[in-house]
Coordinates of all heavy atoms in Angstrom, one line a residue:
D1205 N 72.7 181.1 181.7 CA 74.2 181.3 181.5 C 74.5 180.4 180.3 O 74.7 179.2 180.5 CB 75.0 181.0 182.7 CG 76.5 181.2 182.6 OD1 76.9 181.3 181.4 OD2 77.1 181.2 183.6
S1206 N 74.6 180.9 179.1 CA 74.8 180.1 177.9 C 76.3 179.6 177.9 O 76.5 178.6 177.3 CB 74.5 180.9 176.7 OG 75.3 182.0 176.6
V1207 N 77.2 180.3 178.5 CA 78.6 179.8 178.5 C 78.8 178.6 179.4 O 79.4 177.6 179.0 CB 79.5 181.0 179.0 CG1 80.9 180.5 179.2 CG2 79.5 182.2 178.1
L1208 N 78.2 178.6 180.6 CA 78.4 177.4 181.5 C 77.2 176.5 181.5 O 77.2 175.5 182.2 CB 78.6 178.0 182.9 CG 79.9 178.8 183.1 CD1 80.0 179.3 184.5 CD2 81.1 178.0 182.7
G1209 N 76.1 176.8 180.7 CA 75.0 175.9 180.6 C 74.2 175.7 181.9 O 73.8 174.6 182.2
R1210 N 73.9 176.8 182.6 CA 73.1 176.8 183.8 C 72.1 177.9 183.8 O 72.2 178.9 183.2 CB 74.0 176.9 185.0 CG 74.7 178.2 185.1 CD 75.7 178.3 186.3 NE 76.4 179.5 186.2 CZ 77.3 179.9 187.1 NH1 77.6 179.1 188.1 NH2 78.0 181.0 186.9
E1211 N 71.0 177.6 184.5 CA 69.9 178.6 184.7 C 70.3 179.5 185.8 O 70.8 179.0 186.9 CB 68.6 178.0 185.0 CG 68.0 177.3 183.8 CD 66.5 176.9 184.0 OE1 65.8 177.5 184.8 OE2 66.1 176.0 183.3
V1212 N 70.2 180.8 185.6 CA 70.5 181.8 186.6 C 69.4 182.8 186.8 O 68.5 182.8 186.0 CB 71.8 182.5 186.3 CG1 73.0 181.6 186.3 CG2 71.7 183.2 184.9
A1213 N 69.5 183.5 187.9 CA 68.5 184.6 188.1 C 69.2 185.9 187.8 O 70.4 186.1 188.0 CB 68.0 184.6 189.5
L1214 N 68.5 186.9 187.1 CA 69.0 188.2 186.8 C 68.2 189.2 187.5 O 67.0 189.3 187.5 CB 68.9 188.4 185.3 CG 69.2 189.8 184.8 CD1 70.7 189.9 184.8 CD2 68.7 190.0 183.4
K1215 N 68.9 190.1 188.3 CA 68.3 191.2 188.9 C 68.9 192.5 188.2 O 70.1 192.6 188.1 CB 68.6 191.3 190.4 CG 67.9 192.5 191.0 CD 68.0 192.4 192.5 CE 67.2 193.6 193.2 NZ 67.2 193.5 194.6
R1216 N 68.0 193.3 187.7 CA 68.4 194.5 186.9 C 67.8 195.7 187.5 O 66.8 195.7 188.2 CB 68.1 194.4 185.5 CG 66.7 194.1 185.1 CD 66.5 193.7 183.7 NE 65.2 193.3 183.4 CZ 64.2 194.1 182.9 NH1 64.5 195.3 182.5 NH2 63.0 193.6 182.7
C1217 N 68.5 196.8 187.3 CA 68.0 198.1 187.8 C 67.3 198.8 186.6 O 67.9 199.0 185.6 CB 69.2 199.0 188.3 SG 68.7 200.5 189.0
R1218 N 66.1 199.1 186.8 CA 65.3 199.7 185.7 C 65.9 201.0 185.2 O 66.5 201.7 185.9 CB 63.9 200.0 186.1 CG 63.0 198.8 186.3 CD 61.6 199.3 186.6 NE 61.6 200.4 187.6 CZ 61.0 200.4 188.8 NH1 60.3 199.4 189.2 NH2 61.1 201.5 189.5
A1219 N 65.7 201.2 183.9 CA 66.2 202.5 183.3 C 65.5 203.7 184.0 O 64.4 203.5 184.6 CB 65.9 202.5 181.8
R1220 N 66.0 204.8 183.8 CA 65.4 206.0 184.4 C 64.0 206.3 183.8 O 63.8 206.2 182.5 CB 66.3 207.2 184.1 CG 65.8 208.5 184.7 CD 66.8 209.7 184.5 NE 66.1 210.9 184.7 CZ 65.8 211.7 183.6 NH1 66.1 211.4 182.4 NH2 65.1 212.8 183.9
R1221 N 63.0 206.4 184.6 CA 61.7 206.7 184.2 C 61.5 208.2 183.8 O 62.3 209.0 184.3 CB 60.7 206.4 185.3 CG 60.7 204.9 185.7 CD 59.7 204.6 186.8 NE 60.0 205.3 188.0 CZ 60.7 204.8 189.0 NH1 61.1 203.5 189.0 NH2 61.0 205.4 190.1
V1222 N 60.6 208.5 182.9 CA 60.4 209.9 182.4 C 60.2 210.9 183.6 O 60.8 211.9 183.6 CB 59.2 209.9 181.4 CG1 59.0 211.4 181.0 CG2 59.5 209.0 180.2
E1223 N 59.4 210.5 184.5 CA 59.1 211.4 185.6 C 60.2 211.4 186.7 O 60.1 212.2 187.7 CB 57.7 211.1 186.3 CG 57.7 209.8 187.1 CD 57.6 208.5 186.2 OE1 57.5 208.6 185.0 OE2 57.6 207.4 186.8
E1224 N 61.2 210.6 186.6 CA 62.2 210.4 187.7 C 63.4 211.5 187.4 O 63.9 211.6 186.3 CB 62.8 209.0 187.6 CG 63.8 208.7 188.7 CD 64.3 207.3 188.7 OE1 64.3 206.7 187.6 OE2 64.7 206.8 189.7
S1225 N 63.8 212.1 188.4 CA 64.9 213.1 188.3 C 66.2 212.4 188.1 O 66.3 211.2 188.5 CB 65.0 214.0 189.5 OG 65.5 213.3 190.6
V1226 N 67.1 213.1 187.5 CA 68.5 212.5 187.3 C 69.1 212.1 188.6 O 69.7 211.1 188.8 CB 69.4 213.5 186.5 CG1 70.8 213.0 186.4 CG2 68.8 213.7 185.1
A1227 N 68.9 213.0 189.6 CA 69.5 212.8 190.9 C 68.9 211.5 191.6 O 69.6 210.7 192.2 CB 69.3 214.0 191.8
S1228 N 67.6 211.4 191.5 CA 66.9 210.2 192.0 C 67.4 208.9 191.4 O 67.6 207.9 192.0 CB 65.4 210.4 191.9 OG 64.7 209.2 192.3
H1229 N 67.5 209.0 190.1 CA 68.0 207.8 189.3 C 69.4 207.5 189.7 O 69.8 206.3 189.9 CB 67.9 208.0 187.8 CG 68.4 206.9 187.0 ND1 67.7 205.7 187.0 CD2 69.4 206.8 186.2 CE1 68.4 204.9 186.2 NE2 69.4 205.5 185.7
A1230 N 70.3 208.5 189.9 CA 71.7 208.2 190.3 C 71.7 207.6 191.7 O 72.5 206.7 191.9 CB 72.4 209.5 190.3
T1231 N 70.8 208.0 192.6 CA 70.8 207.4 193.9 C 70.3 206.0 193.8 O 70.9 205.1 194.5 CB 69.8 208.2 194.8 OG1 70.2 209.6 194.9 CG2 69.6 207.6 196.2
R1232 N 69.4 205.7 193.0 CA 68.9 204.3 192.8 C 70.0 203.4 192.3 O 70.2 202.3 192.7 CB 67.7 204.3 191.9 CG 66.8 203.2 192.1 CD 65.4 203.4 191.5 NE 65.3 204.0 190.2 CZ 65.4 203.4 189.1 NH1 65.7 202.1 189.0 NH2 65.3 204.0 187.9
L1233 N 70.8 203.9 191.3 CA 71.9 203.2 190.7 C 73.0 202.9 191.8 O 73.5 201.8 191.8 CB 72.5 203.9 189.5 CG 71.7 203.9 188.2 CD1 72.4 204.8 187.2 CD2 71.7 202.5 187.7
R1234 N 73.3 203.9 192.6 CA 74.3 203.7 193.6 C 73.8 202.6 194.6 O 74.6 201.7 195.0 CB 74.6 205.0 194.4 CG 75.6 205.9 193.7 CD 76.1 207.0 194.6 NE 75.0 207.8 195.1 CZ 74.4 208.9 194.5 NH1 74.8 209.2 193.2 NH2 73.5 209.6 195.0
A1235 N 72.5 202.7 195.0 CA 72.0 201.7 195.9 C 72.0 200.3 195.3 O 72.3 199.3 196.0 CB 70.6 202.0 196.3
F1236 N 71.7 200.2 194.0 CA 71.7 198.9 193.3 C 73.1 198.3 193.3 O 73.3 197.1 193.6 CB 71.2 199.1 191.9 CG 71.1 197.8 191.1 CD1 70.0 196.9 191.3 CD2 72.1 197.4 190.2 CE1 69.9 195.7 190.6 CE2 72.0 196.3 189.5 CZ 70.9 195.4 189.7
R1237 N 74.1 199.1 192.9 CA 75.5 198.6 192.9 C 76.0 198.3 194.3 O 76.7 197.3 194.4 CB 76.4 199.7 192.3 CG 76.1 199.9 190.8 CD 77.0 201.0 190.2 NE 76.7 201.1 188.8 CZ 76.4 202.2 188.2 NH1 76.4 203.3 188.9 NH2 76.2 202.3 186.9
R1238 N 75.6 199.0 195.3 CA 76.0 198.7 196.7 C 75.4 197.4 197.1 O 76.0 196.5 197.7 CB 75.5 199.8 197.6 CG 76.0 199.6 199.0 CD 75.8 200.9 199.8 NE 76.5 200.8 201.1 CZ 75.8 200.6 202.2 NH1 74.5 200.5 202.3 NH2 76.5 200.5 203.4
E1239 N 74.1 197.1 196.7 CA 73.5 195.9 197.1 C 74.2 194.7 196.4 O 74.5 193.7 197.1 CB 72.0 195.9 196.6 CG 71.3 194.5 196.8 CD 69.9 194.5 196.1 OE1 69.4 195.5 195.6 OE2 69.4 193.4 196.1
A1240 N 74.6 194.8 195.2 CA 75.3 193.8 194.5 C 76.7 193.5 195.2 O 77.0 192.4 195.4 CB 75.5 194.1 193.0
A1241 N 77.4 194.6 195.5 CA 78.7 194.4 196.1 C 78.6 193.8 197.5 O 79.4 192.9 197.8 CB 79.4 195.8 196.2
I1242 N 77.7 194.2 198.3 CA 77.5 193.7 199.6 C 77.1 192.2 199.6 O 77.6 191.3 200.2 CB 76.6 194.5 200.5 CG1 77.2 195.8 200.8 CG2 76.2 193.8 201.7 CD1 76.2 196.8 201.4
T1243 N 76.1 191.9 198.7 CA 75.6 190.6 198.6 C 76.6 189.6 198.1 O 76.7 188.5 198.6 CB 74.3 190.5 197.7 OG1 73.4 191.5 198.2 CG2 73.7 189.1 197.7
A1244 N 77.5 190.1 197.2 CA 78.5 189.2 196.6 C 79.6 188.8 197.7 O 80.2 187.8 197.6 CB 79.2 189.9 195.5
Q1245 N 79.7 189.6 198.8 CA 80.7 189.3 199.8 C 80.1 188.3 200.9 O 80.9 187.8 201.7 CB 81.1 190.6 200.5 CG 81.8 191.6 199.6 CD 82.1 192.9 200.3 OE1 82.4 192.9 201.5 NE2 82.1 193.9 199.5
L1246 N 78.8 188.1 200.9 CA 78.2 187.3 201.9 C 78.2 185.8 201.5 O 78.0 185.5 200.4 CB 76.8 187.8 202.2 CG 76.6 189.2 202.6 CD1 75.2 189.6 202.7 CD2 77.4 189.5 203.9
E1247 N 78.4 185.0 202.5 CA 78.2 183.5 202.3 C 77.4 183.0 203.5 O 77.8 183.0 204.6 CB 79.6 182.8 202.3 CG 80.4 183.1 201.1 CD 81.7 182.3 201.0 OE1 81.6 181.1 201.4 OE2 82.7 182.9 200.5
H1248 N 76.2 182.6 203.1 CA 75.2 182.0 204.1 C 74.2 181.2 203.4 O 73.8 181.6 202.3 CB 74.6 183.2 204.9 CG 73.7 182.8 206.0 ND1 72.4 182.4 205.8 CD2 73.9 182.6 207.3 CE1 71.8 182.0 206.9 NE2 72.8 182.2 207.9
P1249 N 73.8 180.1 204.0 CA 72.8 179.2 203.3 C 71.5 180.0 202.9 O 70.8 179.6 202.0 CB 72.5 178.1 204.3 CG 73.6 178.1 205.2 CD 74.2 179.5 205.2
G1250 N 71.1 181.0 203.6 CA 69.9 181.8 203.4 C 70.1 183.0 202.4 O 69.1 183.7 202.2
I1251 N 71.3 183.1 201.9 CA 71.5 184.2 201.0 C 72.0 183.7 199.6 O 72.9 182.9 199.5 CB 72.6 185.2 201.5 CG1 72.2 185.8 202.9 CG2 73.0 186.3 200.5 CD1 73.2 186.6 203.6
V1252 N 71.3 184.1 198.6 CA 71.6 183.6 197.2 C 72.9 184.2 196.8 O 73.1 185.4 196.8 CB 70.5 184.1 196.2 CG1 70.8 183.6 194.8 CG2 69.1 183.5 196.7
P1253 N 73.8 183.4 196.3 CA 75.2 183.9 195.9 C 75.1 184.7 194.6 O 74.3 184.3 193.7 CB 76.0 182.6 195.7 CG 75.1 181.5 195.7 CD 73.8 181.9 196.3
V1254 N 75.9 185.7 194.5 CA 76.0 186.5 193.3 C 77.1 185.9 192.5 O 78.2 185.7 192.9 CB 76.3 188.0 193.6 CG1 76.6 188.8 192.4 CG2 75.1 188.6 194.4
H1255 N 76.9 185.6 191.2 CA 77.9 185.1 190.3 C 78.6 186.1 189.5 O 79.8 186.0 189.2 CB 77.2 184.1 189.3 CG 76.7 182.9 189.9 ND1 77.3 182.1 190.8 CD2 75.5 182.3 189.7 CE1 76.5 181.1 191.2 NE2 75.4 181.2 190.5
D1256 N 77.9 187.2 189.1 CA 78.5 188.2 188.2 C 77.8 189.5 188.3 O 76.6 189.5 188.7 CB 78.6 187.7 186.8 CG 79.5 188.4 185.9 OD1 80.3 189.2 186.4 OD2 79.5 188.2 184.7
V1257 N 78.4 190.6 188.0 CA 77.8 191.9 187.9 C 78.2 192.5 186.5 O 79.3 192.3 186.0 CB 78.3 192.8 189.0 CG1 77.7 194.2 188.9 CG2 78.0 192.3 190.4
G1258 N 77.2 193.2 185.9 CA 77.5 193.7 184.6 C 76.3 194.5 184.1 O 75.6 195.2 184.8
V1259 N 76.0 194.4 182.8 CA 74.9 195.1 182.1 C 74.1 194.1 181.4 O 74.6 193.2 180.7 CB 75.5 196.1 181.1 CG1 74.4 196.9 180.4 CG2 76.4 197.1 181.9
S1260 N 72.7 194.3 181.5 CA 71.8 193.4 180.8 C 71.8 193.7 179.3 O 72.4 194.7 178.9 CB 70.4 193.6 181.4 OG 69.8 194.8 180.9
I1261 N 71.1 192.8 178.6 CA 71.1 193.0 177.1 C 70.3 194.3 176.8 O 70.4 194.8 175.7 CB 70.5 191.8 176.4 CG1 69.0 191.5 176.9 CG2 71.3 190.6 176.5 CD1 68.3 190.4 176.0
L1262 N 69.5 194.8 177.8 CA 68.8 196.1 177.6 C 69.6 197.3 178.0 O 69.2 198.4 177.9 CB 67.5 196.1 178.4 CG 66.5 195.0 178.1 CD1 65.3 195.0 179.0 CD2 66.0 195.1 176.6
G1263 N 70.9 197.0 178.4 CA 71.8 198.1 178.8 C 71.6 198.6 180.2 O 72.2 199.6 180.6
E1264 N 70.9 197.9 181.0 CA 70.6 198.2 182.4 C 71.7 197.5 183.3 O 72.0 196.4 183.0 CB 69.2 197.8 182.8 CG 68.1 198.5 182.0 CD 66.8 197.8 182.2 OE1 66.8 196.5 182.4 OE2 65.8 198.5 182.1
P1265 N 72.1 198.2 184.4 CA 73.0 197.5 185.3 C 72.3 196.3 185.8 O 71.0 196.3 186.1 CB 73.2 198.6 186.4 CG 72.9 199.9 185.8 CD 71.8 199.6 184.7
A1266 N 73.0 195.2 186.0 CA 72.4 194.0 186.4 C 73.4 193.1 187.2 O 74.6 193.3 187.1 CB 71.9 193.2 185.2
F1267 N 72.9 192.2 188.0 CA 73.7 191.2 188.6 C 73.1 189.8 188.4 O 71.9 189.7 188.4 CB 74.3 191.5 190.0 CG 73.3 191.7 191.1 CD1 72.9 190.7 191.9 CD2 72.8 193.0 191.3 CE1 72.1 190.9 193.0 CE2 72.0 193.2 192.4 CZ 71.6 192.2 193.2
I1268 N 73.9 188.8 188.3 CA 73.5 187.4 188.1 C 73.7 186.6 189.4 O 74.7 186.7 190.0 CB 74.4 186.7 187.0 CG1 74.5 187.6 185.8 CG2 73.9 185.3 186.7 CD1 73.4 187.6 184.8
M1269 N 72.6 185.9 189.7 CA 72.6 185.1 191.0 C 72.3 183.7 190.7 O 71.7 183.4 189.6 CB 71.6 185.7 191.9 CG 71.8 187.1 192.3 SD 70.4 187.8 193.2 CE 69.2 187.9 191.9
K1270 N 72.5 182.8 191.6 CA 72.1 181.5 191.5 C 70.5 181.5 191.4 O 69.9 182.2 192.2 CB 72.5 180.7 192.8 CG 72.1 179.2 192.8 CD 72.5 178.5 194.0 CE 72.0 177.1 194.0 NZ 72.5 176.4 195.2
R1271 N 70.0 180.6 190.6 CA 68.5 180.5 190.5 C 68.0 179.5 191.5 O 68.5 178.4 191.6 CB 68.1 180.1 189.1 CG 66.6 180.0 188.9 CD 66.3 179.6 187.5 NE 64.8 179.7 187.2 CZ 64.0 178.7 187.6 NH1 64.4 177.7 188.3 NH2 62.7 178.9 187.4
I1272 N 67.0 179.9 192.2 CA 66.5 179.1 193.3 C 65.1 178.7 192.8 O 64.2 179.6 192.5 CB 66.4 179.8 194.6 CG1 67.8 180.3 195.1 CG2 65.7 178.9 195.7 CD1 68.8 179.2 195.4
D1273 N 64.7 177.4 192.8 CA 63.4 176.9 192.4 C 62.5 177.1 193.6 O 62.9 177.1 194.8 CB 63.4 175.5 192.0 CG 64.1 175.2 190.7 OD1 63.9 176.1 189.8 OD2 64.8 174.2 190.6
G1274 N 61.2 177.3 193.3 CA 60.2 177.5 194.4 C 59.3 178.6 194.1 O 59.4 179.3 193.0
E1275 N 58.4 178.9 195.0 CA 57.4 180.0 194.8 C 58.1 181.3 195.1 O 59.0 181.4 195.9 CB 56.3 179.8 195.9 CG 55.3 178.7 195.6 CD 54.2 178.8 196.6 OE1 54.4 179.0 197.8 OE2 53.0 178.5 196.1
S1276 N 57.6 182.3 194.4 CA 58.2 183.6 194.7 C 57.6 184.2 196.0 O 56.6 183.7 196.5 CB 57.7 184.6 193.6 OG 56.3 184.9 193.6
L1277 N 58.3 185.1 196.6 CA 57.9 185.8 197.8 C 56.5 186.4 197.6 O 55.6 186.4 198.4 CB 58.9 186.8 198.3 CG 58.5 187.5 199.6 CD1 58.3 186.6 200.7 CD2 59.6 188.5 199.9
E1278 N 56.3 187.0 196.4 CA 55.1 187.6 196.0 C 53.9 186.7 196.1 O 52.8 187.0 196.7 CB 55.1 188.3 194.6 CG 53.9 189.0 194.2 CD 54.0 189.6 192.8 OE1 54.8 189.1 192.0 OE2 53.2 190.5 192.6
T1279 N 54.1 185.4 195.6 CA 53.0 184.4 195.6 C 52.7 184.0 197.1 O 51.6 183.9 197.5 CB 53.5 183.2 194.9 OG1 53.7 183.5 193.5 CG2 52.4 182.0 195.0
Q1280 N 53.7 183.9 197.9 CA 53.5 183.5 199.3 C 52.8 184.7 200.1 O 51.9 184.4 200.9 CB 54.8 183.2 200.0 CG 55.4 181.9 199.5 CD 56.6 181.4 200.3 OE1 56.8 181.9 201.4 NE2 57.4 180.5 199.7
I1281 N 53.1 185.9 199.8 CA 52.5 187.0 200.4 C 51.0 187.1 200.0 O 50.1 187.3 200.8 CB 53.2 188.3 200.2 CG1 54.6 188.3 200.9 CG2 52.4 189.5 200.6 CD1 55.5 189.4 200.6
D1282 N 50.7 186.9 198.7 CA 49.4 186.9 198.2 C 48.5 185.8 198.9 O 47.4 186.1 199.3 CB 49.3 186.7 196.7 CG 49.8 187.9 195.9 OD1 49.8 189.0 196.5 OD2 50.1 187.8 194.7
R1283 N 49.1 184.6 199.1 CA 48.4 183.6 199.7 C 48.1 183.9 201.2 O 47.1 183.7 201.7 CB 49.2 182.3 199.7 CG 48.4 181.1 200.3 CD 49.0 179.7 200.1 NE 50.4 179.6 200.3 CZ 51.3 179.5 199.3 NH1 51.0 179.3 198.1 NH2 52.6 179.4 199.6
W1284 N 49.1 184.6 201.8 CA 48.9 185.0 203.2 C 47.8 186.0 203.4 O 47.0 185.9 204.3 CB 50.2 185.6 203.7 CG 50.2 186.1 205.1 CD1 49.6 185.6 206.2 CD2 50.9 187.3 205.6 NE1 49.9 186.3 207.3 CE2 50.7 187.4 207.0 CE3 51.7 188.2 205.0 CZ2 51.2 188.4 207.8 CZ3 52.2 189.2 205.8 CH2 52.0 189.3 207.1
R1285 N 47.7 187.0 202.4 CA 46.7 188.0 202.4 C 45.3 187.4 202.2 O 44.3 187.8 202.8 CB 46.9 189.0 201.4 CG 48.1 189.9 201.7 CD 48.2 191.0 200.7 NE 49.3 191.9 201.1 CZ 50.1 192.6 200.2 NH1 50.0 192.4 198.9 NH2 51.0 193.4 200.7
T1286 N 45.2 186.4 201.4 CA 43.9 185.8 201.0 C 43.4 184.7 202.0 O 42.2 184.6 202.3 CB 43.8 185.3 199.6 OG1 44.8 184.3 199.4 CG2 44.0 186.4 198.6
S1287 N 44.4 183.9 202.5 CA 44.0 182.8 203.3 C 44.4 182.9 204.8 O 44.0 182.1 205.6 CB 44.6 181.5 202.7 OG 46.0 181.5 202.9
G1288 N 45.3 183.8 205.1 CA 45.9 183.9 206.4 C 47.0 182.9 206.7 O 47.6 182.9 207.7
Q1289 N 47.4 182.1 205.6 CA 48.5 181.2 205.8 C 49.8 182.0 205.7 O 50.1 182.6 204.7 CB 48.5 180.2 204.7 CG 49.6 179.1 204.7 CD 49.6 178.2 203.6 OE1 48.6 178.1 202.8 NE2 50.6 177.4 203.5
R1290 N 50.6 181.9 206.8 CA 51.8 182.6 206.9 C 52.9 182.2 205.9 O 53.0 181.0 205.6 CB 52.4 182.5 208.3 CG 53.6 183.3 208.5 CD 54.1 183.2 209.9 NE 55.3 183.8 210.0 CZ 55.8 184.3 211.2 NH1 55.2 184.1 212.3 NH2 57.0 184.9 211.2
P1291 N 53.6 183.1 205.2 CA 54.6 182.7 204.2 C 55.7 181.9 204.9 O 56.1 182.1 206.0 CB 55.2 184.0 203.7 CG 54.2 185.0 204.1 CD 53.5 184.5 205.3
D1292 N 56.2 180.9 204.2 CA 57.4 180.1 204.6 C 58.6 180.8 204.1 O 59.0 180.6 203.0 CB 57.3 178.7 204.0 CG 58.4 177.8 204.4 OD1 59.1 178.2 205.4 OD2 58.6 176.8 203.8
L1293 N 59.3 181.5 205.0 CA 60.4 182.3 204.6 C 61.7 181.6 204.9 O 62.8 182.2 204.8 CB 60.4 183.7 205.3 CG 59.1 184.5 205.0 CD1 59.2 185.8 205.7 CD2 59.0 184.8 203.5
A1294 N 61.7 180.3 205.2 CA 62.9 179.6 205.6 C 63.6 179.2 204.4 O 63.2 179.1 203.3 CB 62.5 178.4 206.4

């Protein structure tokens, strides 16, 4: 966030893929917007707050959230698959 000088996380909805139907893409966009709206209304220590909703520099719908430091869920799941160490989801 260059205006407020903070690091944020950006979640964006990918553009329509060539093989994706217009109806399927529209459904995905509605689900994305609904996720942003619902998440923005929630306040809980385990839920990342939504700061803003808009369009990314690539023209894709996006929402901005607080950036959380740490390992990604993907990294934790990969470790679980290879070592049997259960992900720390707390």
